[in-house]
Amino acid sequence: MTPEQRVEWEAEVRSLYHDGMAWIVVTPNRAKLIDFETTLPSAVEEPVRQREERQRA
């Protein structure tokens, strides 16, 4: 997206909200890398385990 396209896009989005918008910036103080090839997020581990159990049955 070019800078000009960004300005047009932002104006279009702002026109959708009559009450205004706020710019929120989050600055993390730490980060964690999740390697999905070796580690699954806990929210995914359980459904994967259940699927494997169904496939074995």
Side-chain angles (χ1 to χ4, degrees):
M1 179 180 290
T2 67
E4 294 80 17
Q5 290 171 321
R6 185 190 165 286
V7 169
E8 291 175 17
W9 174 82
E10 185 176 338
E12 182 67 27
V13 171
R14 286 183 181 276
S15 73
L16 298 174
Y17 301 97
H18 300 288
D19 294 339
M21 294 175 59
W23 191 285
I24 299 172
V25 177
V26 177
T27 305
N29 58 8
R30 63 187 173 109
K32 179 179 181 180
L33 175 66
I34 299 176
D35 177 3
F36 289 107
E37 290 189 23
T38 59
T39 306
L40 288 175
S42 58
V44 177
E45 288 177 346
E46 183 63 19
V48 168
R49 185 189 61 73
Q50 291 173 353
R51 182 188 64 194
E52 289 172 351
E53 287 177 0
R54 286 192 308 269
Q55 288 173 344
R56 280 183 256 161

